[in-house]
Amino acid sequence: GAVVSQHPSRVICKSGTSVKIECRSLDFQATTMFWYRQFPKKSLMLMATSNEGSKATYEQGVEKDKFLINHASLTLSTLTVTSAHPEDSSFYICSASIAGARSYNEQFFGPGTRLTVL
Amino acid sequence: KQEVTQIPAALSVPEGENLVLNCSFTDSAIYNLQWFRQDPGKGLTSLLLIQSSQREQTSGRLNASLDKSSGRSTLYIAASQPGDSATYLCAVRREGRRALTFGSGTRLQVQP
């Protein structure tokens, strides 16, 4: 149980376009999802916390107008990279917490999305 | 601000060796600590989670310990195998905060 999926797994786009990444909890409800970014051979950096039915909370230095997050249901959160630039190329990983269960405090991670902006 | 450090950054050992990965954190007011495994280009697999009130957790050949007061955790891998080759990440969750702060990881290579 506690499976999180991401789609797409890999995307290549041109500069200036927008890219949407989906994060789904497949077998549980997640009131909170998190979006992380990982540069090559670096650790994960939290970008934002996504709460179902409310606005996301962004970390300092993360542009909320550039990285649009929507958490429309208890099983889906989306991250849209708007007007993508080559420096947005990175590995984006989402995670989800199971609410109300013994493992509430454990996060389960998706497989990640590799974004390459040309 | 919580900072998480992992030592060593990289480690290469022959198959069969027991090994210890280290993680330290600056703010001891944590809710829990989690160890993850990440294969190249892949997402994270949770290995062990230790609550702040616990001292250790075990799963198969893995044992993780936590010394909250000194801000340290270790991941012990017994009888290492080539399939254990991956990057191991340590992450802490601060009290009152749900997101995780990650260390930079230890890249492990187990030689057959």
Side-chain angles (χ1 to χ4, degrees), chain B residues 11-61:
Chain B
L11 182 64
S12 181
V13 300
E15 182 177 5
E17 272 203 9
N18 302 323
L19 53 99
V20 175
L21 308 182
N22 296 292
C23 172
S24 62
F25 45 95
T26 55
D27 186 349
S28 62
I30 66 169
Y31 188 73
N32 62 39
L33 181 145
Q34 230 171 320
W35 282 94
F36 295 89
R37 168 185 174 139
Q38 184 177 32
D39 292 288
K42 303 293 184 183
L44 276 64
T45 300
S46 179
L47 298 174
L48 291 165
L49 181 147
I50 310 177
Q51 301 289 0
S52 61
S53 59
Q54 296 175 326
R55 287 279 187 173
E56 65 177 344
Q57 284 287 335
T58 298
S59 176
R61 294 183 293 110

Side-chain angles (χ1 to χ4, degrees), chain A residues 2-3 8 15 18-19 27 31 43 45 47-48 51 57 63 66 70 72 80 82 93 98 101 103 107 113 115-116:
Chain A
V3 178
S15 289
S18 294
V19 175
D27 51 2
T31 53
S43 191
M45 300 295 293
M47 299 175 65
N51 297 297
T57 303
E63 299 177 58
K66 180 167 186 60
N70 183 275
T80 301
T82 63
I93 305 179
I98 301 175
S103 55
Q107 288 191 24
T113 296
L115 171 63
T116 302

Side-chain angles (χ1 to χ4, degrees), chain B residues 90-107:
Chain B
C90 161
V92 299
R93 179 182 165 192
R94 282 170 54 189
E95 291 178 356
R97 186 170 161 82
R98 286 176 290 182
L100 298 175
T101 302
F102 283 83
S104 53
T106 294
R107 292 190 302 281

Side-chain angles (χ1 to χ4, degrees), chain A:
Chain A
V3 178
V4 177
S5 70
Q6 279 185 243
H7 178 81
S9 59
R10 184 182 297 269
V11 57
I12 301 173
C13 68
K14 295 180 179 180
S15 289
T17 60
S18 294
V19 175
K20 180 184 284 188
I21 302 170
E22 293 184 348
C23 176
R24 292 182 184 272
S25 56
L26 299 185
D27 51 2
F28 66 97
Q29 293 184 333
T31 53
T32 304
M33 290 183 174
F34 306 89
W35 287 95
Y36 295 84
R37 181 174 180 176
Q38 186 178 34
F39 291 101
K41 296 186 178 182
K42 299 293 185 182
S43 191
L44 281 74
M45 300 295 293
L46 178 68
M47 299 175 65
T49 301
S50 169
N51 297 297
E52 186 267 336
S54 64
K55 292 183 179 180
T57 303
Y58 290 81
E59 293 299 296
Q60 190 173 7
V62 178
E63 299 177 58
K64 60 182 180 181
D65 293 331
K66 180 167 186 60
F67 298 100
L68 300 179
I69 292 173
N70 183 275
H71 194 156
S73 75
L74 288 172
T75 59
L76 174 65
S77 176
T78 60
L79 168 68
T80 301
V81 182
T82 63
S83 187
H85 287 272
E87 56 264 32
D88 297 327
S89 299
S90 192
F91 194 54
Y92 293 87
I93 305 179
C94 72
S95 71
S97 291
I98 301 175
R102 179 174 59 86
S103 55
Y104 164 75
N105 51 11
E106 184 170 359
Q107 288 191 24
F108 299 93
F109 284 76
T113 296
R114 171 75 59 194
L115 171 63
T116 302
V117 184
L118 303 176

